[in-house]
Amino acid sequence: MSTETTPLADAPALDGPWLDMYRRMKTIRLFEEQVNELYRGAKMPGLAHLYIGEEAVAVGVCSALRQDDYITSTHRGHGHCLAKGADVDRTFAELLGKAAGYCKGKGGSMHIADHQNGNLGANAIVGGSTGIATGAAYSARERGTDQVAVCFFGEGALGQGILYEEMNLAALWALPVVYVCENNLYNEYTHYLEATAGDILARPRAFGIEAREVDGQDVRAVYAAQLELVERARRGEGPGFLLCDTYRYHGHHVGDVDRSYYRAKEEEELWRAERDPIARLRGWLLEQGAAGPEALQAIEEEVRAEVARGVAFALEAPFPDPGEVTDDVYA
């Protein structure tokens, strides 16, 4: 792993919407905690892959985008969806398979999409959304817009050939796309160093792609680096690659509750105690005098109420009519 990170203290002092970022990160954290409770209470069908601990990546990246810019997501995609502007209630409804969900209950946790906000969808196939994002960038260029596409993927996708095919085309055609690699250290249950050889940044750079690495637990650093890559792509200067070093607090999925056989509890506790992205932003806001404890507490209370309303809405919402089972389904 390269050491070219941007630490908190060195992040550019941009005039950014920091309180909004704080709110979005808290929303994702509390949303995901409720997803875990819904699963444990047998109220949610299937599995979910929690984003807790990685909130700064989704929020920092999406805060650098416009509503009409595109993103593609992964199996761990609730955070991306919410950061791009999705409503809490409809997102919960989709996870519970309800008709009020973004995909009318047919997408669920791993295939949720929100086209109104530019989210072209999550993808359960590792690296599967790289082609969708690159295609969206190609479409934007051909239509003559200045839209940018962003492709989220985990470090496990570095072993998928499609990623390199897409980066090659994006570089050849100078497409407005940014590839965002969320390195949370583990390819499911295997440390990435056991499966990924060499310098990660050397891979996009081999195609002539502008590549950066940042501390994925620092939303300010993520936002600053992403904003530069997005503006560069929007000007027609070609694709970018952002490597975000981050960590998932929970298991690979909600059923992965005993992780001691592949990572130490001490490691988890260290990341929670010393590198929590929400705590770091909160500390910076207080230190800079950008917000007081009362204001931040008020934000948390508002978000808790919003999440509670969202859960209640989803639980009470009806399931789709069985006669619609083949509607909007394509092969």
Side-chain angles (χ1 to χ4, degrees), residues 31 34 38 43 87-105 304-319:
F31 178 94
Q34 283 301 306
L38 288 168
K43 296 176 181 177
D87 294 329
V88 165
D89 53 1
R90 293 189 64 192
T91 307
F92 272 127
E94 184 60 38
L95 267 60
L96 295 186
K98 301 300 184 70
Y102 278 103
C103 301
K104 302 179 183 178
R304 286 190 182 278
E306 179 185 6
V307 169
R309 289 193 299 270
V311 171
F313 170 83
L315 289 172
E316 295 170 5
F319 287 100

Side-chain angles (χ1 to χ4, degrees), residues 33-105:
E33 289 177 354
Q34 283 301 306
V35 170
N36 196 34
E37 290 304 312
L38 288 168
Y39 171 77
R40 294 176 61 186
K43 296 176 181 177
M44 185 184 75
L47 295 173
H49 303 76
L50 301 180
Y51 199 68
I52 295 174
E54 303 182 35
E55 296 90 349
V57 179
V59 172
V61 166
C62 290
S63 294
L65 300 175
R66 301 187 317 220
Q67 183 180 16
D68 67 335
D69 288 330
Y70 299 113
I71 68 167
T72 61
S73 186
T74 70
H75 58 277
R76 198 179 308 282
H78 311 154
H80 308 145
C81 190
L82 292 170
K84 194 59 172 67
D87 294 329
V88 165
D89 53 1
R90 293 189 64 192
T91 307
F92 272 127
E94 184 60 38
L95 267 60
L96 295 186
K98 301 300 184 70
Y102 278 103
C103 301
K104 302 179 183 178

